[in-house]
PDB file of all heavy atoms in Angstrom:
ATOM      1  N   PRO C  30     109.397  24.640 183.173  1.00 67.00           N
ATOM      2  CA  PRO C  30     108.888  25.036 181.856  1.00 67.00           C
ATOM      3  C   PRO C  30     107.377  25.105 181.877  1.00 67.00           C
ATOM      4  O   PRO C  30     106.758  24.487 182.731  1.00 67.00           O
ATOM      5  CB  PRO C  30     109.379  23.926 180.938  1.00 67.00           C
ATOM      6  CG  PRO C  30     109.711  22.772 181.826  1.00 67.00           C
ATOM      7  CD  PRO C  30     109.957  23.306 183.201  1.00 67.00           C
ATOM      8  N   PRO C  31     106.734  25.763 180.976  1.00 68.00           N
ATOM      9  CA  PRO C  31     107.345  26.595 179.934  1.00 68.00           C
ATOM     10  C   PRO C  31     107.483  28.043 180.399  1.00 68.00           C
ATOM     11  O   PRO C  31     106.584  28.591 181.005  1.00 68.00           O
ATOM     12  CB  PRO C  31     106.336  26.508 178.794  1.00 68.00           C
ATOM     13  CG  PRO C  31     105.016  26.407 179.502  1.00 68.00           C
ATOM     14  CD  PRO C  31     105.294  25.641 180.790  1.00 68.00           C
ATOM     15  N   PHE C  32     108.606  28.652 180.131  1.00 62.00           N
ATOM     16  CA  PHE C  32     108.797  30.080 180.357  1.00 62.00           C
ATOM     17  C   PHE C  32     109.865  30.581 179.393  1.00 62.00           C
ATOM     18  O   PHE C  32     110.680  29.805 178.914  1.00 62.00           O
ATOM     19  CB  PHE C  32     109.152  30.407 181.816  1.00 62.00           C
ATOM     20  CG  PHE C  32     110.437  29.803 182.284  1.00 62.00           C
ATOM     21  CD1 PHE C  32     111.632  30.465 182.121  1.00 62.00           C
ATOM     22  CD2 PHE C  32     110.446  28.560 182.890  1.00 62.00           C
ATOM     23  CE1 PHE C  32     112.818  29.912 182.550  1.00 62.00           C
ATOM     24  CE2 PHE C  32     111.628  28.002 183.332  1.00 62.00           C
ATOM     25  CZ  PHE C  32     112.814  28.668 183.155  1.00 62.00           C
ATOM     26  N   ASN C  33     109.808  31.875 179.108  1.00 65.00           N
ATOM     27  CA  ASN C  33     110.783  32.462 178.190  1.00 65.00           C
ATOM     28  C   ASN C  33     112.130  32.573 178.862  1.00 65.00           C
ATOM     29  O   ASN C  33     112.224  32.893 180.044  1.00 65.00           O
ATOM     30  CB  ASN C  33     110.325  33.854 177.748  1.00 65.00           C
ATOM     31  CG  ASN C  33     109.049  33.787 176.948  1.00 65.00           C
ATOM     32  OD1 ASN C  33     108.821  32.819 176.240  1.00 65.00           O
ATOM     33  ND2 ASN C  33     108.228  34.815 177.055  1.00 65.00           N
ATOM     34  N   ALA C  34     113.175  32.313 178.110  1.00 66.00           N
ATOM     35  CA  ALA C  34     114.527  32.352 178.656  1.00 66.00           C
ATOM     36  C   ALA C  34     115.386  33.275 177.797  1.00 66.00           C
ATOM     37  O   ALA C  34     115.088  33.493 176.623  1.00 66.00           O
ATOM     38  CB  ALA C  34     115.118  30.946 178.682  1.00 66.00           C
ATOM     39  N   PRO C  35     116.443  33.808 178.381  1.00 72.00           N
ATOM     40  CA  PRO C  35     117.368  34.624 177.588  1.00 72.00           C
ATOM     41  C   PRO C  35     118.005  33.778 176.488  1.00 72.00           C
ATOM     42  O   PRO C  35     118.113  32.561 176.611  1.00 72.00           O
ATOM     43  CB  PRO C  35     118.420  35.067 178.591  1.00 72.00           C
ATOM     44  CG  PRO C  35     117.901  34.737 179.929  1.00 72.00           C
ATOM     45  CD  PRO C  35     116.840  33.699 179.758  1.00 72.00           C
ATOM     46  N   ILE C  36     118.428  34.443 175.437  1.00 72.00           N
ATOM     47  CA  ILE C  36     119.187  33.749 174.402  1.00 72.00           C
ATOM     48  C   ILE C  36     120.600  34.287 174.420  1.00 72.00           C
ATOM     49  O   ILE C  36     120.862  35.392 174.917  1.00 72.00           O
ATOM     50  CB  ILE C  36     118.575  33.913 172.997  1.00 72.00           C
ATOM     51  CG1 ILE C  36     118.592  35.376 172.577  1.00 72.00           C
ATOM     52  CG2 ILE C  36     117.178  33.330 172.951  1.00 72.00           C
ATOM     53  CD1 ILE C  36     118.340  35.558 171.101  1.00 72.00           C
ATOM     54  N   GLU C  37     121.515  33.519 173.885  1.00 74.00           N
ATOM     55  CA  GLU C  37     122.905  33.940 173.809  1.00 74.00           C
ATOM     56  C   GLU C  37     123.395  33.683 172.401  1.00 74.00           C
ATOM     57  O   GLU C  37     123.132  32.637 171.824  1.00 74.00           O
ATOM     58  CB  GLU C  37     123.740  33.135 174.806  1.00 74.00           C
ATOM     59  CG  GLU C  37     125.183  33.551 174.841  1.00 74.00           C
ATOM     60  CD  GLU C  37     125.942  32.848 175.959  1.00 74.00           C
ATOM     61  OE1 GLU C  37     125.512  32.944 177.121  1.00 74.00           O
ATOM     62  OE2 GLU C  37     126.949  32.202 175.643  1.00 74.00           O
ATOM     63  N   LEU C  38     124.076  34.659 171.851  1.00 76.00           N
ATOM     64  CA  LEU C  38     124.654  34.554 170.520  1.00 76.00           C
ATOM     65  C   LEU C  38     126.143  34.792 170.666  1.00 76.00           C
ATOM     66  O   LEU C  38     126.551  35.839 171.181  1.00 76.00           O
ATOM     67  CB  LEU C  38     124.029  35.605 169.590  1.00 76.00           C
ATOM     68  CG  LEU C  38     124.630  35.749 168.210  1.00 76.00           C
ATOM     69  CD1 LEU C  38     124.378  34.483 167.391  1.00 76.00           C
ATOM     70  CD2 LEU C  38     124.042  36.949 167.512  1.00 76.00           C
ATOM     71  N   ARG C  39     126.943  33.838 170.235  1.00 78.00           N
ATOM     72  CA  ARG C  39     128.401  33.983 170.316  1.00 78.00           C
ATOM     73  C   ARG C  39     128.967  34.055 168.913  1.00 78.00           C
ATOM     74  O   ARG C  39     128.592  33.278 168.049  1.00 78.00           O
ATOM     75  CB  ARG C  39     129.026  32.820 171.058  1.00 78.00           C
ATOM     76  CG  ARG C  39     128.683  32.798 172.523  1.00 78.00           C
ATOM     77  CD  ARG C  39     129.410  31.689 173.231  1.00 78.00           C
ATOM     78  NE  ARG C  39     129.044  31.688 174.631  1.00 78.00           N
ATOM     79  CZ  ARG C  39     129.812  31.193 175.573  1.00 78.00           C
ATOM     80  NH1 ARG C  39     130.967  30.647 175.264  1.00 78.00           N
ATOM     81  NH2 ARG C  39     129.415  31.236 176.826  1.00 78.00           N
ATOM     82  N   VAL C  40     129.879  34.991 168.726  1.00 80.00           N
ATOM     83  CA  VAL C  40     130.548  35.169 167.442  1.00 80.00           C
ATOM     84  C   VAL C  40     132.037  34.987 167.701  1.00 80.00           C
ATOM     85  O   VAL C  40     132.598  35.641 168.577  1.00 80.00           O
ATOM     86  CB  VAL C  40     130.270  36.573 166.851  1.00 80.00           C
ATOM     87  CG1 VAL C  40     130.937  36.722 165.500  1.00 80.00           C
ATOM     88  CG2 VAL C  40     128.769  36.825 166.755  1.00 80.00           C
ATOM     89  N   TYR C  41     132.663  34.102 166.948  1.00 79.00           N
ATOM     90  CA  TYR C  41     134.080  33.794 167.134  1.00 79.00           C
ATOM     91  C   TYR C  41     134.885  34.256 165.931  1.00 79.00           C
ATOM     92  O   TYR C  41     134.385  34.260 164.809  1.00 79.00           O
ATOM     93  CB  TYR C  41     134.280  32.278 167.289  1.00 79.00           C
ATOM     94  CG  TYR C  41     133.671  31.697 168.532  1.00 79.00           C
ATOM     95  CD1 TYR C  41     132.388  31.167 168.507  1.00 79.00           C
ATOM     96  CD2 TYR C  41     134.387  31.676 169.723  1.00 79.00           C
ATOM     97  CE1 TYR C  41     131.813  30.632 169.648  1.00 79.00           C
ATOM     98  CE2 TYR C  41     133.824  31.137 170.867  1.00 79.00           C
ATOM     99  CZ  TYR C  41     132.542  30.615 170.825  1.00 79.00           C
ATOM    100  OH  TYR C  41     131.980  30.082 171.955  1.00 79.00           O
ATOM    101  N   GLY C  42     136.135  34.610 166.166  1.00 83.00           N
ATOM    102  CA  GLY C  42     137.030  34.976 165.079  1.00 83.00           C
ATOM    103  C   GLY C  42     138.292  35.628 165.608  1.00 83.00           C
ATOM    104  O   GLY C  42     138.377  35.987 166.785  1.00 83.00           O
ATOM    105  N   PRO C  43     139.291  35.801 164.741  1.00 86.00           N
ATOM    106  CA  PRO C  43     140.578  36.338 165.172  1.00 86.00           C
ATOM    107  C   PRO C  43     140.652  37.866 165.191  1.00 86.00           C
ATOM    108  O   PRO C  43     141.545  38.432 165.813  1.00 86.00           O
ATOM    109  CB  PRO C  43     141.547  35.786 164.128  1.00 86.00           C
ATOM    110  CG  PRO C  43     140.718  35.653 162.885  1.00 86.00           C
ATOM    111  CD  PRO C  43     139.337  35.284 163.374  1.00 86.00           C
ATOM    112  N   ASN C  44     139.741  38.565 164.515  1.00 87.00           N
ATOM    113  CA  ASN C  44     139.829  40.012 164.383  1.00 87.00           C
ATOM    114  C   ASN C  44     138.858  40.690 165.351  1.00 87.00           C
ATOM    115  O   ASN C  44     137.644  40.696 165.126  1.00 87.00           O
ATOM    116  CB  ASN C  44     139.513  40.403 162.930  1.00 87.00           C
ATOM    117  CG  ASN C  44     139.700  41.882 162.674  1.00 87.00           C
ATOM    118  OD1 ASN C  44     139.356  42.713 163.509  1.00 87.00           O
ATOM    119  ND2 ASN C  44     140.226  42.211 161.507  1.00 87.00           N
ATOM    120  N   LEU C  45     139.392  41.289 166.417  1.00 87.00           N
ATOM    121  CA  LEU C  45     138.539  41.888 167.445  1.00 87.00           C
ATOM    122  C   LEU C  45     137.721  43.065 166.928  1.00 87.00           C
ATOM    123  O   LEU C  45     136.579  43.261 167.339  1.00 87.00           O
ATOM    124  CB  LEU C  45     139.377  42.317 168.648  1.00 87.00           C
ATOM    125  CG  LEU C  45     140.027  41.193 169.454  1.00 87.00           C
ATOM    126  CD1 LEU C  45     140.839  41.761 170.610  1.00 87.00           C
ATOM    127  CD2 LEU C  45     138.984  40.231 169.964  1.00 87.00           C
ATOM    128  N   ASP C  46     138.298  43.843 166.005  1.00 88.00           N
ATOM    129  CA  ASP C  46     137.543  44.969 165.448  1.00 88.00           C
ATOM    130  C   ASP C  46     136.332  44.474 164.661  1.00 88.00           C
ATOM    131  O   ASP C  46     135.231  45.023 164.775  1.00 88.00           O
ATOM    132  CB  ASP C  46     138.434  45.828 164.550  1.00 88.00           C
ATOM    133  CG  ASP C  46     139.505  46.578 165.332  1.00 88.00           C
ATOM    134  OD1 ASP C  46     139.253  46.918 166.512  1.00 88.00           O
ATOM    135  OD2 ASP C  46     140.587  46.817 164.764  1.00 88.00           O
ATOM    136  N   GLN C  47     136.539  43.434 163.881  1.00 88.00           N
ATOM    137  CA  GLN C  47     135.433  42.876 163.097  1.00 88.00           C
ATOM    138  C   GLN C  47     134.390  42.230 164.015  1.00 88.00           C
ATOM    139  O   GLN C  47     133.192  42.353 163.788  1.00 88.00           O
ATOM    140  CB  GLN C  47     135.954  41.858 162.086  1.00 88.00           C
ATOM    141  CG  GLN C  47     134.880  41.373 161.140  1.00 88.00           C
ATOM    142  CD  GLN C  47     135.429  40.453 160.074  1.00 88.00           C
ATOM    143  OE1 GLN C  47     136.478  39.843 160.247  1.00 88.00           O
ATOM    144  NE2 GLN C  47     134.727  40.359 158.971  1.00 88.00           N
ATOM    145  N   LEU C  48     134.855  41.564 165.073  1.00 86.00           N
ATOM    146  CA  LEU C  48     133.918  40.965 166.021  1.00 86.00           C
ATOM    147  C   LEU C  48     133.063  42.031 166.690  1.00 86.00           C
ATOM    148  O   LEU C  48     131.862  41.849 166.887  1.00 86.00           O
ATOM    149  CB  LEU C  48     134.675  40.153 167.077  1.00 86.00           C
ATOM    150  CG  LEU C  48     135.325  38.858 166.590  1.00 86.00           C
ATOM    151  CD1 LEU C  48     136.156  38.245 167.711  1.00 86.00           C
ATOM    152  CD2 LEU C  48     134.288  37.884 166.086  1.00 86.00           C
ATOM    153  N   LYS C  49     133.684  43.154 167.040  1.00 87.00           N
ATOM    154  CA  LYS C  49     132.922  44.248 167.650  1.00 87.00           C
ATOM    155  C   LYS C  49     131.871  44.775 166.681  1.00 87.00           C
ATOM    156  O   LYS C  49     130.715  45.006 167.056  1.00 87.00           O
ATOM    157  CB  LYS C  49     133.840  45.374 168.104  1.00 87.00           C
ATOM    158  CG  LYS C  49     133.088  46.502 168.788  1.00 87.00           C
ATOM    159  CD  LYS C  49     133.991  47.632 169.170  1.00 87.00           C
ATOM    160  CE  LYS C  49     133.269  48.766 169.856  1.00 87.00           C
ATOM    161  NZ  LYS C  49     131.948  49.079 169.400  1.00 87.00           N
ATOM    162  N   GLU C  50     132.250  44.981 165.413  1.00 89.00           N
ATOM    163  CA  GLU C  50     131.297  45.462 164.409  1.00 89.00           C
ATOM    164  C   GLU C  50     130.131  44.493 164.240  1.00 89.00           C
ATOM    165  O   GLU C  50     128.967  44.905 164.207  1.00 89.00           O
ATOM    166  CB  GLU C  50     131.996  45.654 163.063  1.00 89.00           C
ATOM    167  CG  GLU C  50     132.864  46.887 162.979  1.00 89.00           C
ATOM    168  CD  GLU C  50     133.495  47.045 161.609  1.00 89.00           C
ATOM    169  OE1 GLU C  50     132.868  46.646 160.603  1.00 89.00           O
ATOM    170  OE2 GLU C  50     134.629  47.557 161.541  1.00 89.00           O
ATOM    171  N   LEU C  51     130.451  43.202 164.137  1.00 88.00           N
ATOM    172  CA  LEU C  51     129.399  42.192 163.990  1.00 88.00           C
ATOM    173  C   LEU C  51     128.498  42.171 165.218  1.00 88.00           C
ATOM    174  O   LEU C  51     127.276  42.109 165.100  1.00 88.00           O
ATOM    175  CB  LEU C  51     130.006  40.811 163.759  1.00 88.00           C
ATOM    176  CG  LEU C  51     130.650  40.584 162.397  1.00 88.00           C
ATOM    177  CD1 LEU C  51     131.411  39.269 162.393  1.00 88.00           C
ATOM    178  CD2 LEU C  51     129.604  40.606 161.298  1.00 88.00           C
TER     179      LEU C  51
END
Side-chain angles (χ1 to χ4, degrees):
F32 62 89
N33 295 328
I36 63 165
E37 183 173 305
L38 173 67
R39 292 184 181 205
V40 182
Y41 294 93
N44 185 320
L45 293 179
D46 291 330
Q47 187 175 23
L48 290 174
K49 182 183 180 323
E50 284 182 32
L51 288 170

